[in-house]
Amino acid sequence: MGNQALCQHDRTESMLKAEYQIRQRKVTQVNEAVKLDLEQEHKQSLIPTIYQNEQQQTSCLHDWLESLHESVLITQINLNCDASTKFLSEIDEEEEIDQTKQSLIDTQEIFEYKKSYPYCNSNLDMVIINFYILKKNEFKIKLIMGPPKQRIRWSCWQLMAYTPKFHIQSDGLSFVEQDQKYAKAIRKDIHRTVTSNEIKYFETGEGQKDLEWVLLKLSKLFPKLGYCQGMNFLVGFTLIINNKQTDQSLQLLAQMMVNPKYLLYYIYSDEMPLVKLLEFICINEIKMKIPDLFNHIYLKLEVQNEIWITKLIMTLFLYNFHINNVCRFWDYLLATSIFDISDIICSLIDLNRYEILNMEDLHQFIQWFDSYQKKELDNLQIDKLIQNCNQFKQKKNKINQYALHFCILHPMRHPLIQQIAENYENLTKMKEFIKKDIFSC
Amino acid sequence: MSLGYYDWLVKVIVLGDSGVGKTNILTQFCDSKFSQNYTATIGVDFKIKILNVQDKKIKLQIWDTAGQERFRNITQTYYKGAYGIIFVYSLIDRNSFNNVEGWIKSILESTTDEVCSILVGNKLDSQDRRVQTAEGEKLAQKYNMPFIETSALENKNIQDIFDRLGQNLKIRLENEGQKVSNNIHTQSGQFKLNQEVNQTEQPTSSCNSC
């Protein structure tokens, strides 16, 4: 009996050891393929953090690399042979269920991807695409949990932001005929965007120059939009995350402007229609899911949206939260959609319900809200906040219903809201509308 | 906290083009601070300060608004109920001065109430002046409001903005108070007479209540 137990123990130990070795081999293999080790140390140091847990980060990184192993193998086959099946053009349309079938990316589709993202063609990007295609759900869960390296994060974000068949050409834009009105407004804000003294890139002025360049290009890409305050925060942030890659920042944000999942264009365009709709959704979600907090915040404290929700929407959390925390919010939004901003807002107030319910006036609420500007939430706090979003997640068809409800209440609504009410789940129609609305003269 | 004794609670809004120094004026007044590193205001920010005007304490609820034109539809909702308005332009930005009349007109369009206003030309510290004092005075005269040139950077005349505004607010509030005593319920509800008069708290000074 004793010997049997000992044998069992030995076997378990040797199995664990073997598993560990396999895991290590996979990690090494993926690391060699995507060359993550070559990532220079200074990239990470762009965002100083007071919460550095190296052991946890390494474990998370290995976990990611192991998950990418299959994708690495497939990418290698795919690049060497001409084997292929389908995808990429259907990224958005697919059901969010893990695909068990073995699927390879069509080489042609890779070219399409490269064409849309001319500056994003590393092995890592390809592996990430494969991972997403193979295990869509696992990919999104991992993204929401927070990638361990900014390079992985950036690859994931680019893939999520990508709008199939929507090419945005920015190379031919010259500054010669730039709209002086927007250029002047942009110059007023480049010093008022990333103000932390801890980020050297912006302290030295290099960041401001890049920020101005991307904003000017964006205003040229979307002439009807031009420049609106709030866009500067997004550009500054992306430049920090992707380590000063101006072209990639421009592409990512341009894609997010027109992608029906994010529709950033309509946050900043005249009348700010998406801000209005998102505020409407947030208020109604709070009212329905956490009515006691709704009553306290809106009826007792008389808090208005403009002092908190508007800021969160217009800067995607950058105005009020530490940059490292904002990374996690963006992971969540990019894995879901802009409409899920209400999940995060509900989760935030829900976790602070005791403090909020004890507030006696508007000033106390504002002090609480502004306090996030001065602190970085640690990993446990931010994990809890993100996990808590789950209980506030809304179904996709709810968006149409909210938009429809908004249209009934506001006869003078913007055509975008009408479009969301009618066609939010029909991506083709949404894309047609966006294209016509944004780019036609 | 700001729950000390006060006689009146009054809403004040600060308007003007983007980048003229609205946030810096407020931060200098409320927190005695100036920073070159403030971010551009998005939406609306809010501050509280109790102002002593002679024997009265006026609790100012000050709304700092985003200056970019596209934010007008957001900030306009804050015009309602304002008792005091501070119009700000930059002495080194001619356009911001030219646009002041637009700001004044937008107020006239959205409220029929009489408001106490003041015109402020900020950035007096700069050598690159583009708007002369006489021009500011003339504009202020046209709309019958006091005028002052300030530097938030050097904390020059910042307190004066609020002292002068406070004087006018007090006169108006006392007049309103008389009306209210004749007619217990005001219909507008746009300003509140002190609701804490009956509390036993000791009055706080105007400096430590933000």
Side-chain angles (χ1 to χ4, degrees):
Chain A
M1 188 69 182
N3 280 348
Q4 210 177 346
L6 202 65
C7 284
Q8 187 74 35
H9 174 76
D10 282 351
R11 207 162 45 226
T12 314
E13 201 170 287
S14 62
M15 274 170 70
L16 281 175
K17 203 173 165 187
E19 271 174 27
Y20 176 77
Q21 280 171 347
I22 292 169
R23 183 181 149 106
Q24 281 304 108
R25 237 191 337 262
K26 282 182 180 176
V27 166
T28 312
Q29 213 170 347
V30 176
N31 227 336
E32 278 169 8
V34 299
K35 297 186 171 57
L36 264 182
D37 283 346
L38 294 179
E39 181 167 292
Q40 290 155 358
E41 280 310 305
H42 73 266
K43 285 188 177 182
Q44 289 289 311
S45 65
L46 274 170
I47 315 171
T49 176
I50 52 168
Y51 302 110
Q52 191 87 29
N53 185 335
E54 275 185 30
Q55 200 182 348
Q56 199 181 20
Q57 211 181 3
T58 309
S59 154
C60 180
L61 177 63
H62 284 188
D63 193 37
W64 259 89
L65 294 179
E66 197 182 356
S67 302
L68 292 177
H69 184 251
E70 195 179 351
S71 315
V72 165
L73 294 181
I74 287 169
T75 309
Q76 282 168 348
I77 296 166
N78 192 43
L79 293 175
N80 295 331
C81 317
D82 210 16
S84 63
T85 46
K86 58 165 192 166
F87 281 135
L88 229 99
S89 58
E90 298 166 28
I91 277 173
D92 284 337
E93 285 87 347
E94 282 187 48
E95 286 294 309
E96 292 187 8
I97 300 166
D98 281 352
Q99 307 289 314
T100 47
K101 59 182 181 263
Q102 289 286 308
S103 306
L104 307 178
I105 303 169
D106 191 309
T107 316
Q108 207 181 334
E109 299 289 7
I110 290 180
F111 289 142
E112 189 190 325
Y113 181 80
K114 282 183 178 175
K115 211 168 132 192
S116 293
Y117 286 99
Y119 313 100
C120 167
N121 51 12
S122 67
N123 280 354
L124 176 65
D125 295 327
M126 294 303 136
V127 169
I128 294 281
I129 296 167
N130 260 334
F131 177 39
Y132 176 66
I133 289 165
L134 290 171
K135 295 173 178 176
K136 196 168 280 192
N137 207 34
E138 188 186 327
F139 172 91
K140 287 194 173 177
I141 290 169
K142 282 189 107 61
L143 176 56
I144 288 171
M145 283 163 65
K149 291 246 181 199
Q150 298 296 19
R151 250 189 81 190
I152 298 179
R153 169 170 278 129
W154 186 251
S155 275
C156 294
W157 286 6
Q158 287 189 114
L159 176 62
M160 291 291 93
Y162 174 61
T163 317
K165 312 239 164 80
F166 226 119
H167 303 305
I168 295 166
Q169 291 291 345
S170 59
D171 291 345
L173 301 172
S174 91
F175 289 166
V176 182
E177 297 165 33
Q178 68 186 236
D179 186 333
Q180 285 302 324
K181 186 179 143 199
Y182 293 130
K184 200 178 162 197
I186 288 167
R187 282 181 196 122
K188 269 185 188 174
D189 286 342
I190 56 169
H191 300 282
R192 307 194 291 164
T193 303
V194 181
T195 54
S196 166
N197 292 331
E198 292 170 333
I199 298 171
K200 285 205 166 52
Y201 172 43
F202 276 86
E203 208 187 356
T204 58
E206 187 191 354
Q208 276 92 337
K209 223 175 93 194
D210 289 346
L211 175 64
E212 182 183 352
W213 185 89
V214 178
L215 284 170
L216 283 169
K217 286 259 183 182
L218 269 178
S219 70
K220 292 290 283 183
L221 268 178
F222 302 103
K224 282 199 268 179
L225 173 69
Y227 168 69
C228 176
Q229 285 176 331
M231 287 162 63
N232 53 327
F233 291 94
L234 273 54
V235 174
F237 176 61
T238 55
L239 285 170
I240 291 167
I241 301 302
N242 72 17
N243 194 36
K244 315 171 192 179
Q245 302 299 308
T246 48
D247 291 316
Q248 291 190 11
S249 283
L250 178 66
Q251 280 297 327
L252 179 104
L253 290 170
Q255 294 283 347
M256 287 179 80
M257 290 272 178
V258 298
N259 190 324
K261 275 167 73 185
Y262 312 109
L263 297 163
L264 293 191
Y265 181 91
Y266 294 97
I267 284 184
Y268 302 109
S269 60
D270 281 338
E271 297 174 50
M272 301 171 178
L274 191 61
V275 175
K276 288 177 188 163
L277 180 61
L278 290 173
E279 283 177 358
F280 181 75
I281 292 173
C282 285
I283 290 188
N284 281 289
E285 285 287 297
I286 297 171
K287 192 174 183 177
M288 198 170 59
K289 292 175 179 167
I290 26 183
D292 57 338
L293 282 168
F294 174 84
N295 289 337
H296 196 78
I297 293 171
Y298 286 100
L299 304 182
K300 181 163 187 230
L301 304 179
E302 297 181 350
V303 174
Q304 283 122 332
N305 285 331
E306 290 79 2
I307 55 174
W308 70 308
I309 292 182
T310 308
K311 293 174 198 288
L312 297 179
I313 294 170
M314 294 206 69
T315 63
L316 297 185
F317 297 94
L318 285 156
Y319 197 75
N320 298 85
F321 284 86
H322 188 282
I323 204 164
N324 289 327
N325 298 144
V326 176
C327 286
R328 297 294 304 276
F329 295 143
W330 278 49
D331 291 338
Y332 186 83
L333 291 179
L334 278 147
T336 54
S337 80
I338 190 73
F339 296 97
D340 291 278
I341 203 164
S342 67
D343 311 351
I344 303 176
I345 292 170
C346 286
S347 173
L348 174 74
I349 57 172
D350 182 49
L351 289 178
N352 289 281
R353 63 165 39 250
Y354 180 76
E355 194 177 344
I356 293 172
L357 290 173
N358 278 304
M359 291 175 189
E360 289 179 355
D361 62 22
L362 175 64
H363 194 214
Q364 282 183 318
F365 182 88
I366 289 171
Q367 281 183 322
W368 163 77
F369 186 62
D370 287 350
S371 69
Y372 285 99
Q373 284 179 330
K374 298 176 194 109
K375 65 185 177 197
E376 179 186 354
L377 299 177
D378 65 31
N379 289 337
L380 277 178
Q381 288 171 314
I382 196 79
D383 280 344
K384 200 173 164 191
L385 204 161
I386 295 292
Q387 276 163 20
N388 195 41
C389 289
N390 257 337
Q391 64 164 313
F392 299 106
K393 185 108 189 65
Q394 47 183 325
K395 286 186 179 150
K396 213 175 172 184
N397 66 359
K398 197 89 183 283
I399 308 298
N400 302 52
Q401 288 168 19
Y402 272 129
L404 195 61
H405 190 188
F406 187 94
C407 289
I408 294 166
L409 295 174
H410 302 86
M412 298 293 285
R413 71 261 172 182
H414 190 280
L416 169 80
I417 302 180
Q418 181 81 39
Q419 194 64 28
I420 294 173
E422 289 166 10
N423 294 314
Y424 184 65
E425 288 173 279
N426 184 336
L427 278 169
T428 313
K429 285 197 173 172
M430 282 296 292
K431 280 184 206 168
E432 276 169 19
F433 166 81
I434 292 166
K435 209 167 188 173
K436 201 172 154 200
D437 189 50
I438 295 179
F439 296 108
S440 68
C441 296
Chain B
M1 260 321 294
S2 52
L3 294 174
Y5 172 90
Y6 57 87
D7 294 288
W8 296 290
L9 172 64
V10 171
K11 177 176 173 181
V12 174
I13 49 174
V14 189
L15 299 175
D17 278 11
S18 172
V20 295
K22 299 182 291 294
T23 304
N24 275 318
I25 287 174
L26 284 189
T27 316
Q28 189 62 270
F29 174 61
C30 295
D31 308 324
S32 304
K33 275 197 297 195
F34 179 88
S35 169
Q36 300 279 10
N37 286 338
Y38 283 122
T39 50
T41 305
I42 300 289
V44 181
D45 279 338
F46 170 90
K47 285 196 181 290
I48 276 192
K49 176 95 173 174
I50 290 184
L51 186 69
N52 284 333
V53 185
Q54 290 150 3
D55 57 331
K56 298 288 184 190
K57 285 182 187 295
I58 305 176
K59 184 171 177 176
L60 301 177
Q61 197 186 58
I62 313 169
W63 298 87
D64 179 17
T65 58
Q68 205 184 16
E69 199 174 340
R70 212 164 292 184
F71 285 83
R72 288 276 178 106
N73 62 4
I74 291 178
T75 52
Q76 263 175 353
T77 57
Y78 283 81
Y79 297 177
K80 194 171 181 295
Y83 252 53
I85 298 173
I86 301 168
F87 295 103
V88 187
Y89 66 89
S90 164
L91 293 169
I92 59 170
D93 179 358
R94 185 82 211 168
N95 274 340
S96 73
F97 176 72
N98 295 340
N99 290 337
V100 169
E101 286 206 89
W103 288 106
I104 295 172
K105 280 172 188 156
S106 71
I107 284 287
L108 294 174
E109 277 165 17
S110 42
T111 175
T112 53
D113 302 316
E114 191 192 322
V115 287
C116 299
S117 310
I118 184 164
L119 180 63
V120 176
N122 190 36
K123 305 195 183 180
L124 188 55
D125 49 275
S126 175
Q127 302 300 310
D128 192 22
R129 180 192 272 268
R130 299 290 166 94
V131 186
Q132 296 310 312
T133 308
E135 294 176 278
E137 282 170 347
K138 197 176 163 192
L139 183 64
Q141 226 167 31
K142 182 177 172 186
Y143 289 97
N144 195 25
M145 60 176 88
F147 169 67
I148 197 162
E149 289 187 335
T150 61
S151 163
L153 174 73
E154 294 172 351
N155 194 13
K156 200 169 179 183
N157 298 341
I158 298 296
Q159 182 66 41
D160 292 358
I161 301 173
F162 295 89
D163 287 342
R164 291 175 77 169
L165 187 69
Q167 294 283 353
N168 290 339
L169 283 169
K170 181 176 174 274
I171 295 167
R172 175 157 179 220
L173 288 162
E174 280 172 343
N175 289 340
E176 288 282 348
Q178 280 169 6
K179 282 184 207 165
V180 171
S181 62
N182 294 335
N183 180 12
I184 294 169
H185 297 289
T186 54
Q187 284 193 324
S188 66
Q190 287 172 358
F191 81 100
K192 298 169 187 174
L193 286 171
N194 185 13
Q195 293 166 338
E196 296 178 49
V197 166
N198 295 330
Q199 292 181 8
T200 51
E201 282 184 78
Q202 289 298 309
T204 55
S205 78
S206 63
C207 298
N208 61 7
S209 50
C210 272

